[in-house]
Short mmCIF file of all heavy atoms in Angstrom, two decimals:
data_model
loop_
_atom_site.label_atom_id
_atom_site.label_comp_id
_atom_site.label_asym_id
_atom_site.label_seq_id
_atom_site.Cartn_x
_atom_site.Cartn_y
_atom_site.Cartn_z
N MET A 4 0.84 -1.14 0.06
CA MET A 4 0.02 -0.01 0.02
C MET A 4 0.93 1.20 -0.01
O MET A 4 1.87 1.34 0.71
CB MET A 4 -0.83 -0.01 1.25
CG MET A 4 -1.83 1.14 1.35
SD MET A 4 -2.68 1.08 2.86
CE MET A 4 -1.32 1.54 4.02
N ASP A 5 0.54 2.15 -0.88
CA ASP A 5 1.37 3.33 -1.08
C ASP A 5 0.62 4.60 -0.64
O ASP A 5 -0.22 5.08 -1.29
CB ASP A 5 1.76 3.50 -2.53
CG ASP A 5 2.70 4.60 -2.81
OD1 ASP A 5 2.84 5.48 -1.93
OD2 ASP A 5 3.28 4.66 -3.90
N ARG A 6 0.93 4.99 0.62
CA ARG A 6 0.18 6.14 1.24
C ARG A 6 0.51 7.45 0.54
O ARG A 6 -0.13 8.43 0.68
CB ARG A 6 0.53 6.21 2.75
CG ARG A 6 -0.21 5.18 3.53
CD ARG A 6 0.18 5.16 4.98
NE ARG A 6 0.30 6.46 5.63
CZ ARG A 6 -0.71 7.17 6.13
NH1 ARG A 6 -1.93 6.72 6.07
NH2 ARG A 6 -0.47 8.35 6.64
N VAL A 7 1.62 7.57 -0.17
CA VAL A 7 2.00 8.73 -0.92
C VAL A 7 1.17 8.83 -2.19
O VAL A 7 0.71 9.89 -2.53
CB VAL A 7 3.53 8.73 -1.34
CG1 VAL A 7 3.84 9.91 -2.16
CG2 VAL A 7 4.35 8.70 -0.02
N THR A 8 0.89 7.70 -2.84
CA THR A 8 0.09 7.70 -4.04
C THR A 8 -1.41 7.85 -3.77
O THR A 8 -2.12 8.45 -4.56
CB THR A 8 0.27 6.39 -4.84
OG1 THR A 8 1.73 6.28 -5.15
CG2 THR A 8 -0.46 6.30 -6.04
N CYS A 9 -1.82 7.37 -2.64
CA CYS A 9 -3.25 7.38 -2.26
C CYS A 9 -3.86 8.82 -2.28
O CYS A 9 -3.25 9.76 -1.83
CB CYS A 9 -3.35 6.84 -0.77
SG CYS A 9 -5.08 7.06 -0.16
N ILE A 10 -4.97 8.95 -2.98
CA ILE A 10 -5.63 10.19 -3.11
C ILE A 10 -6.84 10.29 -2.22
O ILE A 10 -7.64 11.29 -2.31
CB ILE A 10 -6.00 10.52 -4.54
CG1 ILE A 10 -6.97 9.38 -5.11
CG2 ILE A 10 -4.76 10.66 -5.43
CD1 ILE A 10 -7.56 9.73 -6.44
N GLY A 11 -7.09 9.28 -1.36
CA GLY A 11 -8.21 9.34 -0.43
C GLY A 11 -9.56 9.14 -1.01
O GLY A 11 -10.53 9.62 -0.46
N ALA A 12 -9.59 8.33 -2.10
CA ALA A 12 -10.87 8.14 -2.78
C ALA A 12 -11.85 7.35 -1.98
O ALA A 12 -13.03 7.32 -2.13
CB ALA A 12 -10.63 7.51 -4.13
N GLY A 13 -11.30 6.49 -1.11
CA GLY A 13 -12.16 5.68 -0.17
C GLY A 13 -12.71 4.45 -0.75
O GLY A 13 -13.47 3.76 -0.10
N GLN A 14 -12.38 4.02 -1.95
CA GLN A 14 -12.91 2.82 -2.55
C GLN A 14 -12.46 1.57 -1.81
O GLN A 14 -13.28 0.64 -1.59
CB GLN A 14 -12.39 2.61 -3.99
CG GLN A 14 -12.99 3.65 -4.97
CD GLN A 14 -14.44 3.42 -5.13
OE1 GLN A 14 -14.99 2.35 -5.23
NE2 GLN A 14 -15.22 4.57 -5.11
N CYS A 15 -11.27 1.56 -1.23
CA CYS A 15 -10.79 0.40 -0.52
C CYS A 15 -11.55 0.27 0.85
O CYS A 15 -11.97 -0.83 1.23
CB CYS A 15 -9.31 0.56 -0.16
SG CYS A 15 -8.85 2.03 0.65
N VAL A 16 -11.87 1.41 1.46
CA VAL A 16 -12.66 1.30 2.68
C VAL A 16 -14.07 0.81 2.39
O VAL A 16 -14.62 0.03 3.17
CB VAL A 16 -12.63 2.66 3.39
CG1 VAL A 16 -13.53 2.60 4.64
CG2 VAL A 16 -11.22 3.16 3.62
N MET A 17 -14.58 1.22 1.32
CA MET A 17 -15.93 0.79 0.90
C MET A 17 -16.02 -0.66 0.70
O MET A 17 -16.97 -1.38 1.06
CB MET A 17 -16.36 1.55 -0.32
CG MET A 17 -17.82 1.45 -0.64
SD MET A 17 -18.31 2.40 -2.19
CE MET A 17 -17.53 3.95 -1.90
N HIS A 18 -14.97 -1.26 0.11
CA HIS A 18 -15.01 -2.60 -0.35
C HIS A 18 -14.45 -3.57 0.68
O HIS A 18 -14.78 -4.77 0.72
CB HIS A 18 -14.29 -2.80 -1.67
CG HIS A 18 -15.08 -2.24 -2.85
ND1 HIS A 18 -16.19 -2.81 -3.43
CD2 HIS A 18 -14.93 -1.02 -3.47
CE1 HIS A 18 -16.59 -2.09 -4.35
NE2 HIS A 18 -15.94 -0.98 -4.40
N ALA A 19 -13.56 -3.09 1.56
CA ALA A 19 -12.91 -3.96 2.59
C ALA A 19 -12.77 -3.15 3.84
O ALA A 19 -11.65 -2.88 4.36
CB ALA A 19 -11.58 -4.52 2.08
N PRO A 20 -13.88 -2.78 4.51
CA PRO A 20 -13.82 -2.00 5.77
C PRO A 20 -13.11 -2.66 6.96
O PRO A 20 -12.72 -1.95 7.85
CB PRO A 20 -15.23 -1.63 6.01
CG PRO A 20 -16.06 -2.78 5.38
CD PRO A 20 -15.28 -3.16 4.18
N ASP A 21 -13.07 -3.98 6.94
CA ASP A 21 -12.35 -4.66 8.02
C ASP A 21 -10.83 -4.57 7.89
O ASP A 21 -10.12 -4.78 8.89
CB ASP A 21 -12.67 -6.18 7.98
CG ASP A 21 -14.17 -6.42 8.42
OD1 ASP A 21 -14.74 -5.50 9.03
OD2 ASP A 21 -14.65 -7.49 8.02
N VAL A 22 -10.35 -4.18 6.71
CA VAL A 22 -8.92 -4.20 6.48
C VAL A 22 -8.38 -2.73 6.26
O VAL A 22 -7.30 -2.37 6.79
CB VAL A 22 -8.57 -5.03 5.15
CG1 VAL A 22 -7.08 -4.85 4.82
CG2 VAL A 22 -8.98 -6.43 5.44
N PHE A 23 -9.21 -1.87 5.62
CA PHE A 23 -8.70 -0.53 5.31
C PHE A 23 -9.55 0.51 6.07
O PHE A 23 -10.77 0.36 6.34
CB PHE A 23 -8.80 -0.27 3.79
CG PHE A 23 -8.02 -1.19 3.03
CD1 PHE A 23 -8.59 -2.18 2.19
CD2 PHE A 23 -6.65 -1.03 2.94
CE1 PHE A 23 -7.85 -3.00 1.47
CE2 PHE A 23 -5.82 -1.90 2.13
CZ PHE A 23 -6.49 -2.94 1.40
N ASP A 24 -8.87 1.58 6.45
CA ASP A 24 -9.53 2.77 7.05
C ASP A 24 -8.77 3.96 6.46
O ASP A 24 -7.86 3.86 5.75
CB ASP A 24 -9.44 2.75 8.58
CG ASP A 24 -10.45 3.61 9.22
OD1 ASP A 24 -11.16 4.37 8.57
OD2 ASP A 24 -10.58 3.53 10.43
N GLN A 25 -9.28 5.15 6.86
CA GLN A 25 -8.66 6.39 6.38
C GLN A 25 -8.30 7.24 7.59
O GLN A 25 -9.14 7.29 8.54
CB GLN A 25 -9.55 7.16 5.43
CG GLN A 25 -9.77 6.54 4.05
CD GLN A 25 -10.83 7.11 3.26
OE1 GLN A 25 -11.96 6.93 3.49
NE2 GLN A 25 -10.44 7.99 2.26
N ASP A 26 -7.15 7.87 7.54
CA ASP A 26 -6.79 8.76 8.64
C ASP A 26 -7.53 10.12 8.51
O ASP A 26 -8.36 10.28 7.62
CB ASP A 26 -5.27 8.93 8.73
CG ASP A 26 -4.65 9.70 7.55
OD1 ASP A 26 -5.43 10.35 6.81
OD2 ASP A 26 -3.41 9.62 7.39
N LEU A 27 -7.19 11.07 9.40
CA LEU A 27 -7.93 12.31 9.37
C LEU A 27 -7.81 13.09 8.11
O LEU A 27 -8.54 13.94 7.75
CB LEU A 27 -7.56 13.17 10.58
CG LEU A 27 -7.96 12.59 12.00
CD1 LEU A 27 -7.36 13.45 13.08
CD2 LEU A 27 -9.46 12.46 12.07
N ASP A 28 -6.71 12.80 7.40
CA ASP A 28 -6.49 13.48 6.09
C ASP A 28 -7.04 12.68 4.87
O ASP A 28 -6.96 13.07 3.77
CB ASP A 28 -4.96 13.61 5.85
CG ASP A 28 -4.27 14.60 6.88
OD1 ASP A 28 -4.96 15.58 7.23
OD2 ASP A 28 -3.17 14.37 7.36
N GLY A 29 -7.70 11.50 5.18
CA GLY A 29 -8.29 10.71 4.17
C GLY A 29 -7.36 9.75 3.59
O GLY A 29 -7.75 8.94 2.70
N VAL A 30 -6.15 9.70 4.04
CA VAL A 30 -5.14 8.74 3.52
C VAL A 30 -5.37 7.34 4.07
O VAL A 30 -5.58 7.23 5.29
CB VAL A 30 -3.71 9.24 3.72
CG1 VAL A 30 -2.63 8.22 3.17
CG2 VAL A 30 -3.47 10.61 3.15
N VAL A 31 -5.26 6.36 3.22
CA VAL A 31 -5.51 4.98 3.65
C VAL A 31 -4.57 4.52 4.76
O VAL A 31 -3.41 4.85 4.85
CB VAL A 31 -5.42 4.07 2.43
CG1 VAL A 31 -4.01 3.95 1.91
CG2 VAL A 31 -5.95 2.61 2.79
N VAL A 32 -5.12 3.72 5.72
CA VAL A 32 -4.32 3.08 6.76
C VAL A 32 -4.85 1.60 6.85
O VAL A 32 -6.00 1.32 6.50
CB VAL A 32 -4.47 3.76 8.18
CG1 VAL A 32 -3.85 5.14 8.14
CG2 VAL A 32 -5.91 3.85 8.56
N ILE A 33 -4.06 0.76 7.25
CA ILE A 33 -4.37 -0.68 7.43
C ILE A 33 -4.88 -0.91 8.85
O ILE A 33 -4.28 -0.56 9.83
CB ILE A 33 -3.13 -1.55 7.22
CG1 ILE A 33 -2.60 -1.40 5.76
CG2 ILE A 33 -3.38 -3.00 7.58
CD1 ILE A 33 -3.50 -2.18 4.80
N ARG A 34 -6.02 -1.52 8.94
CA ARG A 34 -6.66 -1.90 10.25
C ARG A 34 -6.11 -3.22 10.67
O ARG A 34 -5.85 -3.42 11.89
CB ARG A 34 -8.22 -1.98 10.12
CG ARG A 34 -8.82 -0.62 9.83
CD ARG A 34 -10.30 -0.80 9.50
NE ARG A 34 -11.04 -1.51 10.48
CZ ARG A 34 -11.68 -1.00 11.51
NH1 ARG A 34 -11.63 0.25 11.67
NH2 ARG A 34 -12.30 -1.76 12.36
N THR A 35 -5.87 -4.15 9.80
CA THR A 35 -5.31 -5.46 10.10
C THR A 35 -4.63 -6.03 8.90
O THR A 35 -4.98 -5.76 7.72
CB THR A 35 -6.39 -6.45 10.58
OG1 THR A 35 -5.82 -7.72 10.78
CG2 THR A 35 -7.46 -6.60 9.46
N ALA A 36 -3.54 -6.69 9.12
CA ALA A 36 -2.73 -7.37 7.96
C ALA A 36 -3.29 -8.81 7.86
O ALA A 36 -2.85 -9.47 6.97
CB ALA A 36 -1.33 -7.35 8.33
N ALA A 37 -4.19 -9.30 8.70
CA ALA A 37 -4.71 -10.63 8.62
C ALA A 37 -5.96 -10.63 7.84
O ALA A 37 -7.05 -10.29 8.39
CB ALA A 37 -4.85 -11.18 10.06
N ALA A 38 -5.92 -11.07 6.55
CA ALA A 38 -7.05 -11.12 5.78
C ALA A 38 -7.11 -12.42 5.06
O ALA A 38 -6.19 -12.84 4.34
CB ALA A 38 -7.11 -10.02 4.72
N ALA A 39 -8.12 -13.25 5.32
CA ALA A 39 -8.28 -14.53 4.76
C ALA A 39 -9.72 -14.74 4.24
O ALA A 39 -10.63 -13.99 4.64
CB ALA A 39 -7.88 -15.56 5.69
N GLY A 40 -9.90 -15.76 3.47
CA GLY A 40 -11.25 -16.18 2.99
C GLY A 40 -11.98 -14.97 2.30
O GLY A 40 -11.48 -14.36 1.41
N GLU A 41 -13.25 -14.78 2.74
CA GLU A 41 -14.06 -13.70 2.09
C GLU A 41 -13.37 -12.29 2.24
O GLU A 41 -13.47 -11.45 1.35
CB GLU A 41 -15.44 -13.65 2.68
CG GLU A 41 -16.26 -14.81 2.36
CD GLU A 41 -17.72 -14.64 2.99
OE1 GLU A 41 -18.07 -13.58 3.37
OE2 GLU A 41 -18.38 -15.66 3.05
N VAL A 42 -12.69 -12.11 3.42
CA VAL A 42 -12.04 -10.81 3.64
C VAL A 42 -10.93 -10.57 2.56
O VAL A 42 -10.79 -9.50 2.02
CB VAL A 42 -11.52 -10.69 5.07
CG1 VAL A 42 -10.69 -9.36 5.18
CG2 VAL A 42 -12.63 -10.77 6.06
N TRP A 43 -10.24 -11.71 2.26
CA TRP A 43 -9.19 -11.59 1.19
C TRP A 43 -9.78 -11.19 -0.12
O TRP A 43 -9.23 -10.38 -0.91
CB TRP A 43 -8.36 -12.85 1.12
CG TRP A 43 -7.40 -12.75 0.06
CD1 TRP A 43 -7.25 -13.50 -1.09
CD2 TRP A 43 -6.21 -11.95 0.00
NE1 TRP A 43 -6.22 -13.09 -1.89
CE2 TRP A 43 -5.50 -12.11 -1.26
CE3 TRP A 43 -5.69 -10.92 0.90
CZ2 TRP A 43 -4.38 -11.52 -1.59
CZ3 TRP A 43 -4.55 -10.29 0.55
CH2 TRP A 43 -3.92 -10.56 -0.71
N GLU A 44 -10.94 -11.82 -0.42
CA GLU A 44 -11.64 -11.46 -1.67
C GLU A 44 -12.03 -9.96 -1.71
O GLU A 44 -11.94 -9.34 -2.70
CB GLU A 44 -12.86 -12.36 -1.81
CG GLU A 44 -12.56 -13.79 -2.07
CD GLU A 44 -13.84 -14.68 -2.18
OE1 GLU A 44 -14.88 -14.12 -2.34
OE2 GLU A 44 -13.66 -15.90 -2.00
N ASP A 45 -12.33 -9.51 -0.50
CA ASP A 45 -12.66 -8.01 -0.43
C ASP A 45 -11.45 -7.19 -0.72
O ASP A 45 -11.54 -6.13 -1.38
CB ASP A 45 -13.26 -7.69 0.91
CG ASP A 45 -14.60 -8.28 1.17
OD1 ASP A 45 -15.26 -8.68 0.22
OD2 ASP A 45 -15.05 -8.34 2.33
N VAL A 46 -10.31 -7.64 -0.22
CA VAL A 46 -9.04 -6.94 -0.43
C VAL A 46 -8.67 -6.92 -1.88
O VAL A 46 -8.28 -5.85 -2.42
CB VAL A 46 -7.92 -7.50 0.37
CG1 VAL A 46 -6.55 -6.92 0.06
CG2 VAL A 46 -8.15 -7.35 1.91
N VAL A 47 -8.87 -8.06 -2.63
CA VAL A 47 -8.56 -8.12 -4.02
C VAL A 47 -9.49 -7.16 -4.76
O VAL A 47 -9.08 -6.38 -5.61
CB VAL A 47 -8.78 -9.55 -4.51
CG1 VAL A 47 -8.65 -9.59 -6.04
CG2 VAL A 47 -7.73 -10.45 -3.84
N GLU A 48 -10.71 -7.11 -4.36
CA GLU A 48 -11.67 -6.18 -5.04
C GLU A 48 -11.29 -4.76 -4.72
O GLU A 48 -11.35 -3.87 -5.58
CB GLU A 48 -13.13 -6.40 -4.46
CG GLU A 48 -14.13 -5.49 -5.04
CD GLU A 48 -14.48 -5.89 -6.51
OE1 GLU A 48 -14.12 -6.97 -6.97
OE2 GLU A 48 -15.08 -5.04 -7.19
N ALA A 49 -10.93 -4.44 -3.51
CA ALA A 49 -10.43 -3.08 -3.17
C ALA A 49 -9.23 -2.66 -3.97
O ALA A 49 -9.23 -1.56 -4.42
CB ALA A 49 -10.17 -3.04 -1.64
N ALA A 50 -8.33 -3.58 -4.14
CA ALA A 50 -7.09 -3.19 -4.89
C ALA A 50 -7.45 -2.92 -6.36
O ALA A 50 -6.93 -2.02 -6.99
CB ALA A 50 -6.06 -4.34 -4.80
N ALA A 51 -8.44 -3.70 -6.89
CA ALA A 51 -8.84 -3.52 -8.29
C ALA A 51 -9.56 -2.18 -8.42
O ALA A 51 -9.53 -1.58 -9.48
CB ALA A 51 -9.69 -4.61 -8.73
N ARG A 52 -10.28 -1.74 -7.38
CA ARG A 52 -11.14 -0.50 -7.49
C ARG A 52 -10.32 0.76 -7.22
O ARG A 52 -10.80 1.84 -7.44
CB ARG A 52 -12.29 -0.62 -6.50
CG ARG A 52 -13.20 -1.75 -6.79
CD ARG A 52 -14.18 -1.49 -7.88
NE ARG A 52 -15.14 -2.51 -8.05
CZ ARG A 52 -16.25 -2.47 -8.75
NH1 ARG A 52 -16.55 -1.28 -9.27
NH2 ARG A 52 -16.99 -3.43 -8.99
N CYS A 53 -9.19 0.62 -6.54
CA CYS A 53 -8.36 1.80 -6.24
C CYS A 53 -7.97 2.56 -7.50
O CYS A 53 -7.42 2.02 -8.41
CB CYS A 53 -7.05 1.45 -5.52
SG CYS A 53 -6.05 2.89 -5.19
N PRO A 54 -8.43 3.85 -7.67
CA PRO A 54 -8.23 4.61 -8.86
C PRO A 54 -6.77 4.93 -9.22
O PRO A 54 -6.44 5.28 -10.33
CB PRO A 54 -9.00 5.87 -8.69
CG PRO A 54 -9.13 6.05 -7.23
CD PRO A 54 -9.11 4.62 -6.63
N VAL A 55 -5.92 4.78 -8.20
CA VAL A 55 -4.51 5.18 -8.50
C VAL A 55 -3.53 3.95 -8.20
O VAL A 55 -2.29 4.08 -8.14
CB VAL A 55 -4.01 6.31 -7.61
CG1 VAL A 55 -4.76 7.65 -8.08
CG2 VAL A 55 -4.31 6.10 -6.13
N GLN A 56 -4.13 2.72 -8.09
CA GLN A 56 -3.32 1.55 -7.88
C GLN A 56 -2.34 1.62 -6.73
O GLN A 56 -1.18 1.30 -6.85
CB GLN A 56 -2.54 1.11 -9.20
CG GLN A 56 -3.53 0.68 -10.36
CD GLN A 56 -4.02 1.84 -11.09
OE1 GLN A 56 -3.36 2.74 -11.49
NE2 GLN A 56 -5.32 1.77 -11.35
N ALA A 57 -2.83 2.12 -5.64
CA ALA A 57 -1.96 2.38 -4.51
C ALA A 57 -1.91 1.12 -3.60
O ALA A 57 -1.06 1.05 -2.74
CB ALA A 57 -2.64 3.52 -3.65
N ILE A 58 -2.73 0.12 -3.91
CA ILE A 58 -2.78 -1.12 -3.21
C ILE A 58 -2.10 -2.26 -3.95
O ILE A 58 -2.60 -2.65 -5.01
CB ILE A 58 -4.21 -1.61 -2.75
CG1 ILE A 58 -4.88 -0.44 -1.92
CG2 ILE A 58 -4.17 -2.92 -1.98
CD1 ILE A 58 -6.36 -0.64 -1.73
N THR A 59 -1.00 -2.78 -3.48
CA THR A 59 -0.27 -3.92 -4.10
C THR A 59 -0.50 -5.16 -3.35
O THR A 59 -0.23 -5.20 -2.17
CB THR A 59 1.23 -3.57 -4.22
OG1 THR A 59 1.33 -2.32 -4.90
CG2 THR A 59 1.98 -4.68 -5.01
N LEU A 60 -0.95 -6.17 -3.97
CA LEU A 60 -1.10 -7.50 -3.29
C LEU A 60 0.11 -8.28 -3.29
O LEU A 60 0.86 -8.24 -4.29
CB LEU A 60 -2.27 -8.24 -3.96
CG LEU A 60 -3.58 -7.47 -4.06
CD1 LEU A 60 -4.71 -8.28 -4.74
CD2 LEU A 60 -4.08 -7.07 -2.65
N PRO A 61 0.31 -9.16 -2.24
CA PRO A 61 1.50 -10.04 -2.28
C PRO A 61 1.49 -10.95 -3.50
O PRO A 61 0.46 -11.49 -3.82
CB PRO A 61 1.31 -10.85 -1.00
CG PRO A 61 0.38 -10.02 -0.07
CD PRO A 61 -0.53 -9.25 -1.08
N GLY A 62 2.63 -11.02 -4.10
CA GLY A 62 2.79 -11.90 -5.26
C GLY A 62 2.33 -11.26 -6.59
O GLY A 62 2.36 -11.83 -7.64
N ALA A 63 1.78 -10.04 -6.44
CA ALA A 63 1.31 -9.34 -7.62
C ALA A 63 2.39 -8.69 -8.42
O ALA A 63 3.44 -8.33 -7.86
CB ALA A 63 0.26 -8.31 -7.34
S1 SF4 B 22 -8.94 3.29 -2.89
FE1 SF4 B 22 -6.78 3.88 -3.26
S2 SF4 B 22 -6.82 6.10 -3.34
FE2 SF4 B 22 -8.71 5.47 -2.34
S3 SF4 B 22 -8.26 5.54 -0.18
FE3 SF4 B 22 -7.90 3.49 -0.86
S4 SF4 B 22 -5.72 3.39 -1.41
FE4 SF4 B 22 -6.31 5.52 -1.23
#
């Protein structure tokens, strides 16, 4: 996850709220690094929806 690239669009929080949050400036922060099963699918969706590709998945 690239907090410098993040523009605070909030797509990741919308799609994976258990994993992503935004700080007071709107920049993405990680709530937990443990994502499995359905939550992982949400993370994959969140990464795909990020308009600036700020979320990089392991192995990608
Ligand atoms: S979707 Fe991308 S740009 Fe938007 S808050 Fe998340 S990381 Fe930042």
Side-chain angles (χ1 to χ4, degrees):
M4 181 185 71
D5 184 345
R6 284 175 42 85
V7 173
T8 301
C9 173
I10 59 170
Q14 290 294 320
C15 56
V16 179
M17 190 181 312
H18 289 283
D21 292 337
V22 175
F23 300 106
D24 200 352
Q25 289 169 283
D26 67 16
L27 293 177
D28 294 322
V30 178
V31 66
V32 294
I33 295 285
R34 294 169 53 91
T35 176
E41 289 184 18
V42 176
W43 177 249
E44 292 177 16
D45 291 344
V46 170
V47 172
E48 182 71 17
R52 299 278 182 163
C53 177
V55 292
Q56 291 81 47
I58 301 169
T59 303
L60 302 178

